[in-house]
PDB file of all heavy atoms in Angstrom:
ATOM      1  N   GLY A 414     -20.094   8.250   5.212  1.00 89.00           N
ATOM      2  CA  GLY A 414     -20.498   6.789   4.888  1.00 89.00           C
ATOM      3  C   GLY A 414     -20.141   5.873   5.927  1.00 89.00           C
ATOM      4  O   GLY A 414     -20.368   4.792   5.776  1.00 89.00           O
ATOM      5  N   GLY A 415     -19.389   6.356   6.882  1.00 93.00           N
ATOM      6  CA  GLY A 415     -18.919   5.396   7.938  1.00 93.00           C
ATOM      7  C   GLY A 415     -19.558   5.722   9.335  1.00 93.00           C
ATOM      8  O   GLY A 415     -20.109   6.786   9.515  1.00 93.00           O
ATOM      9  N   LYS A 416     -19.583   4.704  10.072  1.00 95.00           N
ATOM     10  CA  LYS A 416     -20.218   4.883  11.491  1.00 95.00           C
ATOM     11  C   LYS A 416     -19.203   4.111  12.406  1.00 95.00           C
ATOM     12  O   LYS A 416     -19.157   3.009  12.817  1.00 95.00           O
ATOM     13  CB  LYS A 416     -21.534   4.092  11.524  1.00 95.00           C
ATOM     14  CG  LYS A 416     -22.108   4.163  12.889  1.00 95.00           C
ATOM     15  CD  LYS A 416     -22.589   5.584  13.215  1.00 95.00           C
ATOM     16  CE  LYS A 416     -23.411   5.583  14.540  1.00 95.00           C
ATOM     17  NZ  LYS A 416     -23.214   6.665  15.324  1.00 95.00           N
ATOM     18  N   ALA A 417     -18.261   5.059  12.936  1.00 95.00           N
ATOM     19  CA  ALA A 417     -17.129   4.517  13.819  1.00 95.00           C
ATOM     20  C   ALA A 417     -17.721   4.199  15.149  1.00 95.00           C
ATOM     21  O   ALA A 417     -18.783   4.684  15.551  1.00 95.00           O
ATOM     22  CB  ALA A 417     -16.004   5.588  13.913  1.00 95.00           C
ATOM     23  N   PRO A 418     -17.011   3.346  15.941  1.00 95.00           N
ATOM     24  CA  PRO A 418     -17.537   2.912  17.249  1.00 95.00           C
ATOM     25  C   PRO A 418     -17.461   4.102  18.299  1.00 95.00           C
ATOM     26  O   PRO A 418     -18.142   4.129  19.261  1.00 95.00           O
ATOM     27  CB  PRO A 418     -16.588   1.802  17.654  1.00 95.00           C
ATOM     28  CG  PRO A 418     -15.473   1.839  16.748  1.00 95.00           C
ATOM     29  CD  PRO A 418     -15.904   2.504  15.487  1.00 95.00           C
ATOM     30  N   HIS A 419     -16.541   5.116  17.911  1.00 96.00           N
ATOM     31  CA  HIS A 419     -16.373   6.286  18.732  1.00 96.00           C
ATOM     32  C   HIS A 419     -15.807   7.351  17.996  1.00 96.00           C
ATOM     33  O   HIS A 419     -15.168   7.037  16.916  1.00 96.00           O
ATOM     34  CB  HIS A 419     -15.628   5.992  20.031  1.00 96.00           C
ATOM     35  CG  HIS A 419     -14.279   5.486  19.740  1.00 96.00           C
ATOM     36  ND1 HIS A 419     -13.147   6.310  19.393  1.00 96.00           N
ATOM     37  CD2 HIS A 419     -13.757   4.191  19.664  1.00 96.00           C
ATOM     38  CE1 HIS A 419     -12.130   5.440  19.227  1.00 96.00           C
ATOM     39  NE2 HIS A 419     -12.513   4.181  19.338  1.00 96.00           N
ATOM     40  N   TYR A 420     -15.837   8.586  18.348  1.00 97.00           N
ATOM     41  CA  TYR A 420     -15.121   9.632  17.726  1.00 97.00           C
ATOM     42  C   TYR A 420     -14.369  10.538  18.728  1.00 97.00           C
ATOM     43  O   TYR A 420     -14.831  10.668  19.890  1.00 97.00           O
ATOM     44  CB  TYR A 420     -16.168  10.568  17.013  1.00 97.00           C
ATOM     45  CG  TYR A 420     -16.834   9.956  15.887  1.00 97.00           C
ATOM     46  CD1 TYR A 420     -18.166   9.508  15.947  1.00 97.00           C
ATOM     47  CD2 TYR A 420     -16.203   9.666  14.715  1.00 97.00           C
ATOM     48  CE1 TYR A 420     -18.842   9.000  14.965  1.00 97.00           C
ATOM     49  CE2 TYR A 420     -16.862   9.138  13.630  1.00 97.00           C
ATOM     50  CZ  TYR A 420     -18.156   8.674  13.781  1.00 97.00           C
ATOM     51  OH  TYR A 420     -18.739   8.062  12.745  1.00 97.00           O
ATOM     52  N   PRO A 421     -13.201  11.084  18.344  1.00 98.00           N
ATOM     53  CA  PRO A 421     -12.569  10.821  17.095  1.00 98.00           C
ATOM     54  C   PRO A 421     -12.035   9.371  16.942  1.00 98.00           C
ATOM     55  O   PRO A 421     -11.794   8.775  17.923  1.00 98.00           O
ATOM     56  CB  PRO A 421     -11.356  11.777  17.185  1.00 98.00           C
ATOM     57  CG  PRO A 421     -11.090  11.954  18.559  1.00 98.00           C
ATOM     58  CD  PRO A 421     -12.435  11.854  19.278  1.00 98.00           C
ATOM     59  N   TYR A 422     -11.819   8.943  15.728  1.00 98.00           N
ATOM     60  CA  TYR A 422     -11.551   7.570  15.400  1.00 98.00           C
ATOM     61  C   TYR A 422     -10.299   7.563  14.641  1.00 98.00           C
ATOM     62  O   TYR A 422     -10.258   8.115  13.560  1.00 98.00           O
ATOM     63  CB  TYR A 422     -12.704   6.868  14.681  1.00 98.00           C
ATOM     64  CG  TYR A 422     -12.507   5.344  14.373  1.00 98.00           C
ATOM     65  CD1 TYR A 422     -12.443   4.522  15.497  1.00 98.00           C
ATOM     66  CD2 TYR A 422     -12.153   4.825  13.216  1.00 98.00           C
ATOM     67  CE1 TYR A 422     -12.392   3.095  15.377  1.00 98.00           C
ATOM     68  CE2 TYR A 422     -12.044   3.529  13.088  1.00 98.00           C
ATOM     69  CZ  TYR A 422     -12.107   2.660  14.136  1.00 98.00           C
ATOM     70  OH  TYR A 422     -11.881   1.350  13.979  1.00 98.00           O
ATOM     71  N   LEU A 423      -9.246   6.816  15.228  1.00 98.00           N
ATOM     72  CA  LEU A 423      -7.934   6.759  14.527  1.00 98.00           C
ATOM     73  C   LEU A 423      -8.023   5.455  13.760  1.00 98.00           C
ATOM     74  O   LEU A 423      -8.242   4.374  14.343  1.00 98.00           O
ATOM     75  CB  LEU A 423      -6.902   6.740  15.557  1.00 98.00           C
ATOM     76  CG  LEU A 423      -5.409   6.755  14.995  1.00 98.00           C
ATOM     77  CD1 LEU A 423      -5.112   8.046  14.103  1.00 98.00           C
ATOM     78  CD2 LEU A 423      -4.443   6.616  16.133  1.00 98.00           C
ATOM     79  N   LEU A 424      -7.670   5.639  12.425  1.00 98.00           N
ATOM     80  CA  LEU A 424      -7.764   4.411  11.641  1.00 98.00           C
ATOM     81  C   LEU A 424      -6.588   3.489  11.917  1.00 98.00           C
ATOM     82  O   LEU A 424      -5.595   3.897  12.297  1.00 98.00           O
ATOM     83  CB  LEU A 424      -7.739   4.768  10.138  1.00 98.00           C
ATOM     84  CG  LEU A 424      -9.106   5.081   9.534  1.00 98.00           C
ATOM     85  CD1 LEU A 424      -9.673   6.440  10.070  1.00 98.00           C
ATOM     86  CD2 LEU A 424      -8.979   5.178   8.019  1.00 98.00           C
ATOM     87  N   HIS A 425      -6.871   2.199  11.708  1.00 97.00           N
ATOM     88  CA  HIS A 425      -5.698   1.171  11.900  1.00 97.00           C
ATOM     89  C   HIS A 425      -5.922   0.219  10.836  1.00 97.00           C
ATOM     90  O   HIS A 425      -6.775   0.198   9.940  1.00 97.00           O
ATOM     91  CB  HIS A 425      -5.941   0.476  13.389  1.00 97.00           C
ATOM     92  CG  HIS A 425      -7.296  -0.003  13.492  1.00 97.00           C
ATOM     93  ND1 HIS A 425      -7.661  -1.350  13.170  1.00 97.00           N
ATOM     94  CD2 HIS A 425      -8.386   0.527  14.227  1.00 97.00           C
ATOM     95  CE1 HIS A 425      -8.917  -1.450  13.401  1.00 97.00           C
ATOM     96  NE2 HIS A 425      -9.401  -0.484  14.175  1.00 97.00           N
ATOM     97  N   PRO A 426      -4.983  -0.747  10.718  1.00 97.00           N
ATOM     98  CA  PRO A 426      -4.912  -1.641   9.554  1.00 97.00           C
ATOM     99  C   PRO A 426      -6.209  -2.459   9.213  1.00 97.00           C
ATOM    100  O   PRO A 426      -6.626  -2.767   8.086  1.00 97.00           O
ATOM    101  CB  PRO A 426      -3.818  -2.604   9.804  1.00 97.00           C
ATOM    102  CG  PRO A 426      -2.850  -1.818  10.596  1.00 97.00           C
ATOM    103  CD  PRO A 426      -3.736  -0.917  11.482  1.00 97.00           C
ATOM    104  N   GLU A 427      -7.023  -2.714  10.347  1.00 97.00           N
ATOM    105  CA  GLU A 427      -8.194  -3.555  10.186  1.00 97.00           C
ATOM    106  C   GLU A 427      -9.494  -2.613  10.005  1.00 97.00           C
ATOM    107  O   GLU A 427     -10.597  -3.101   9.881  1.00 97.00           O
ATOM    108  CB  GLU A 427      -8.404  -4.386  11.340  1.00 97.00           C
ATOM    109  CG  GLU A 427      -7.544  -5.486  11.395  1.00 97.00           C
ATOM    110  CD  GLU A 427      -6.116  -5.080  12.096  1.00 97.00           C
ATOM    111  OE1 GLU A 427      -6.042  -4.170  12.917  1.00 97.00           O
ATOM    112  OE2 GLU A 427      -5.151  -5.566  11.601  1.00 97.00           O
ATOM    113  N   THR A 428      -9.270  -1.291   9.878  1.00 97.00           N
ATOM    114  CA  THR A 428     -10.497  -0.366   9.803  1.00 97.00           C
ATOM    115  C   THR A 428     -11.246  -0.687   8.483  1.00 97.00           C
ATOM    116  O   THR A 428     -10.606  -0.728   7.490  1.00 97.00           O
ATOM    117  CB  THR A 428      -9.987   1.091   9.926  1.00 97.00           C
ATOM    118  OG1 THR A 428      -9.418   1.285  11.190  1.00 97.00           O
ATOM    119  CG2 THR A 428     -11.273   2.023   9.766  1.00 97.00           C
ATOM    120  N   THR A 429     -12.531  -0.648   8.619  1.00 97.00           N
ATOM    121  CA  THR A 429     -13.219  -0.932   7.390  1.00 97.00           C
ATOM    122  C   THR A 429     -13.970   0.387   6.912  1.00 97.00           C
ATOM    123  O   THR A 429     -14.140   1.370   7.664  1.00 97.00           O
ATOM    124  CB  THR A 429     -14.474  -1.916   7.661  1.00 97.00           C
ATOM    125  OG1 THR A 429     -15.383  -1.372   8.593  1.00 97.00           O
ATOM    126  CG2 THR A 429     -13.896  -3.233   8.207  1.00 97.00           C
ATOM    127  N   ALA A 430     -14.438   0.370   5.676  1.00 96.00           N
ATOM    128  CA  ALA A 430     -15.139   1.638   5.215  1.00 96.00           C
ATOM    129  C   ALA A 430     -16.491   1.787   5.878  1.00 96.00           C
ATOM    130  O   ALA A 430     -16.916   2.906   6.065  1.00 96.00           O
ATOM    131  CB  ALA A 430     -15.382   1.344   3.595  1.00 96.00           C
ATOM    132  N   ALA A 431     -17.067   0.690   6.322  1.00 97.00           N
ATOM    133  CA  ALA A 431     -18.339   0.881   7.180  1.00 97.00           C
ATOM    134  C   ALA A 431     -18.019   1.547   8.546  1.00 97.00           C
ATOM    135  O   ALA A 431     -18.883   2.324   8.978  1.00 97.00           O
ATOM    136  CB  ALA A 431     -18.816  -0.489   7.502  1.00 97.00           C
ATOM    137  N   GLU A 432     -16.772   1.636   9.027  1.00 97.00           N
ATOM    138  CA  GLU A 432     -16.443   2.294  10.241  1.00 97.00           C
ATOM    139  C   GLU A 432     -16.007   3.732   9.882  1.00 97.00           C
ATOM    140  O   GLU A 432     -16.456   4.658  10.681  1.00 97.00           O
ATOM    141  CB  GLU A 432     -15.310   1.619  10.908  1.00 97.00           C
ATOM    142  CG  GLU A 432     -15.650   0.290  11.445  1.00 97.00           C
ATOM    143  CD  GLU A 432     -14.407  -0.526  12.059  1.00 97.00           C
ATOM    144  OE1 GLU A 432     -13.451  -0.538  11.336  1.00 97.00           O
ATOM    145  OE2 GLU A 432     -14.477  -0.951  13.205  1.00 97.00           O
ATOM    146  N   ALA A 433     -15.279   3.967   8.885  1.00 97.00           N
ATOM    147  CA  ALA A 433     -14.562   5.268   8.717  1.00 97.00           C
ATOM    148  C   ALA A 433     -14.929   5.897   7.400  1.00 97.00           C
ATOM    149  O   ALA A 433     -14.467   7.035   7.111  1.00 97.00           O
ATOM    150  CB  ALA A 433     -13.055   5.135   8.715  1.00 97.00           C
ATOM    151  N   GLY A 434     -15.616   5.223   6.507  1.00 96.00           N
ATOM    152  CA  GLY A 434     -15.846   5.774   5.138  1.00 96.00           C
ATOM    153  C   GLY A 434     -14.844   5.254   4.176  1.00 96.00           C
ATOM    154  O   GLY A 434     -13.653   4.967   4.631  1.00 96.00           O
ATOM    155  N   ASP A 435     -15.231   5.238   2.893  1.00 95.00           N
ATOM    156  CA  ASP A 435     -14.225   4.656   1.971  1.00 95.00           C
ATOM    157  C   ASP A 435     -12.949   5.459   1.647  1.00 95.00           C
ATOM    158  O   ASP A 435     -11.967   4.963   1.556  1.00 95.00           O
ATOM    159  CB  ASP A 435     -14.980   4.209   0.657  1.00 95.00           C
ATOM    160  CG  ASP A 435     -15.669   5.355  -0.007  1.00 95.00           C
ATOM    161  OD1 ASP A 435     -15.754   6.433   0.621  1.00 95.00           O
ATOM    162  OD2 ASP A 435     -16.122   5.134  -1.123  1.00 95.00           O
ATOM    163  N   GLU A 436     -13.136   6.711   1.518  1.00 95.00           N
ATOM    164  CA  GLU A 436     -12.020   7.609   1.159  1.00 95.00           C
ATOM    165  C   GLU A 436     -11.031   7.588   2.279  1.00 95.00           C
ATOM    166  O   GLU A 436      -9.794   7.481   1.987  1.00 95.00           O
ATOM    167  CB  GLU A 436     -12.429   8.977   0.857  1.00 95.00           C
ATOM    168  CG  GLU A 436     -13.197   8.958  -0.643  1.00 95.00           C
ATOM    169  CD  GLU A 436     -13.606  10.354  -1.066  1.00 95.00           C
ATOM    170  OE1 GLU A 436     -13.444  11.422  -0.301  1.00 95.00           O
ATOM    171  OE2 GLU A 436     -14.215  10.447  -2.036  1.00 95.00           O
ATOM    172  N   PRO A 437     -11.386   7.790   3.600  1.00 97.00           N
ATOM    173  CA  PRO A 437     -10.280   7.743   4.583  1.00 97.00           C
ATOM    174  C   PRO A 437      -9.614   6.424   4.618  1.00 97.00           C
ATOM    175  O   PRO A 437      -8.305   6.321   4.916  1.00 97.00           O
ATOM    176  CB  PRO A 437     -11.114   8.023   5.908  1.00 97.00           C
ATOM    177  CG  PRO A 437     -12.261   8.854   5.435  1.00 97.00           C
ATOM    178  CD  PRO A 437     -12.660   8.165   4.178  1.00 97.00           C
ATOM    179  N   VAL A 438     -10.312   5.373   4.452  1.00 97.00           N
ATOM    180  CA  VAL A 438      -9.586   4.027   4.458  1.00 97.00           C
ATOM    181  C   VAL A 438      -8.740   3.962   3.229  1.00 97.00           C
ATOM    182  O   VAL A 438      -7.587   3.462   3.382  1.00 97.00           O
ATOM    183  CB  VAL A 438     -10.730   2.918   4.429  1.00 97.00           C
ATOM    184  CG1 VAL A 438     -10.158   1.567   4.148  1.00 97.00           C
ATOM    185  CG2 VAL A 438     -11.491   2.773   5.740  1.00 97.00           C
ATOM    186  N   LEU A 439      -9.055   4.396   1.991  1.00 96.00           N
ATOM    187  CA  LEU A 439      -8.173   4.387   0.902  1.00 96.00           C
ATOM    188  C   LEU A 439      -7.039   5.164   1.237  1.00 96.00           C
ATOM    189  O   LEU A 439      -5.883   4.793   0.861  1.00 96.00           O
ATOM    190  CB  LEU A 439      -8.944   4.895  -0.301  1.00 96.00           C
ATOM    191  CG  LEU A 439      -8.115   5.253  -1.529  1.00 96.00           C
ATOM    192  CD1 LEU A 439      -7.655   3.889  -2.106  1.00 96.00           C
ATOM    193  CD2 LEU A 439      -8.851   6.117  -2.529  1.00 96.00           C
ATOM    194  N   ILE A 440      -7.163   6.426   1.811  1.00 97.00           N
ATOM    195  CA  ILE A 440      -6.014   7.239   2.066  1.00 97.00           C
ATOM    196  C   ILE A 440      -5.074   6.593   3.035  1.00 97.00           C
ATOM    197  O   ILE A 440      -3.782   6.578   2.850  1.00 97.00           O
ATOM    198  CB  ILE A 440      -6.514   8.624   2.564  1.00 97.00           C
ATOM    199  CG1 ILE A 440      -7.217   9.465   1.405  1.00 97.00           C
ATOM    200  CG2 ILE A 440      -5.307   9.478   3.138  1.00 97.00           C
ATOM    201  CD1 ILE A 440      -7.910  10.655   1.972  1.00 97.00           C
ATOM    202  N   TYR A 441      -5.617   5.997   4.138  1.00 97.00           N
ATOM    203  CA  TYR A 441      -4.750   5.366   5.115  1.00 97.00           C
ATOM    204  C   TYR A 441      -4.010   4.087   4.486  1.00 97.00           C
ATOM    205  O   TYR A 441      -2.810   3.952   4.621  1.00 97.00           O
ATOM    206  CB  TYR A 441      -5.680   4.771   6.191  1.00 97.00           C
ATOM    207  CG  TYR A 441      -4.861   4.093   7.252  1.00 97.00           C
ATOM    208  CD1 TYR A 441      -4.057   4.701   8.196  1.00 97.00           C
ATOM    209  CD2 TYR A 441      -4.913   2.641   7.323  1.00 97.00           C
ATOM    210  CE1 TYR A 441      -3.483   3.991   9.111  1.00 97.00           C
ATOM    211  CE2 TYR A 441      -4.096   1.910   8.169  1.00 97.00           C
ATOM    212  CZ  TYR A 441      -3.396   2.640   9.138  1.00 97.00           C
ATOM    213  OH  TYR A 441      -2.628   1.995  10.078  1.00 97.00           O
ATOM    214  N   GLN A 442      -4.672   3.291   3.598  1.00 97.00           N
ATOM    215  CA  GLN A 442      -3.982   2.154   2.981  1.00 97.00           C
ATOM    216  C   GLN A 442      -2.984   2.580   1.999  1.00 97.00           C
ATOM    217  O   GLN A 442      -1.932   2.002   1.856  1.00 97.00           O
ATOM    218  CB  GLN A 442      -5.037   1.220   2.367  1.00 97.00           C
ATOM    219  CG  GLN A 442      -5.899   0.606   3.296  1.00 97.00           C
ATOM    220  CD  GLN A 442      -7.179  -0.230   2.637  1.00 97.00           C
ATOM    221  OE1 GLN A 442      -7.384   0.017   1.444  1.00 97.00           O
ATOM    222  NE2 GLN A 442      -7.732  -1.036   3.410  1.00 97.00           N
ATOM    223  N   ARG A 443      -3.247   3.686   1.265  1.00 96.00           N
ATOM    224  CA  ARG A 443      -2.346   4.071   0.227  1.00 96.00           C
ATOM    225  C   ARG A 443      -1.051   4.875   0.680  1.00 96.00           C
ATOM    226  O   ARG A 443      -0.010   4.695   0.270  1.00 96.00           O
ATOM    227  CB  ARG A 443      -3.014   5.061  -0.755  1.00 96.00           C
ATOM    228  CG  ARG A 443      -4.015   4.302  -1.685  1.00 96.00           C
ATOM    229  CD  ARG A 443      -3.380   3.641  -2.780  1.00 96.00           C
ATOM    230  NE  ARG A 443      -2.524   4.383  -3.673  1.00 96.00           N
ATOM    231  CZ  ARG A 443      -2.986   5.228  -4.716  1.00 96.00           C
ATOM    232  NH1 ARG A 443      -4.229   5.262  -4.951  1.00 96.00           N
ATOM    233  NH2 ARG A 443      -2.150   5.850  -5.461  1.00 96.00           N
ATOM    234  N   CYS A 444      -1.306   5.683   1.757  1.00 94.00           N
ATOM    235  CA  CYS A 444      -0.203   6.509   2.228  1.00 94.00           C
ATOM    236  C   CYS A 444       0.404   6.073   3.566  1.00 94.00           C
ATOM    237  O   CYS A 444       1.584   6.422   3.868  1.00 94.00           O
ATOM    238  CB  CYS A 444      -0.564   8.096   2.362  1.00 94.00           C
ATOM    239  SG  CYS A 444      -1.759   8.335   3.649  1.00 94.00           S
ATOM    240  N   GLY A 445      -0.330   5.279   4.320  1.00 93.00           N
ATOM    241  CA  GLY A 445       0.256   4.822   5.628  1.00 93.00           C
ATOM    242  C   GLY A 445       0.439   5.808   6.659  1.00 93.00           C
ATOM    243  O   GLY A 445       0.962   5.553   7.711  1.00 93.00           O
TER     244      GLY A 445
END
């Protein structure tokens, strides 16, 4: 569901679901 600007893509606090997909963003936000 995401389209990152490049791969592999390391999530950061401003990463959106449009970039990385909703589940990876949720996991990142919840577990840090």
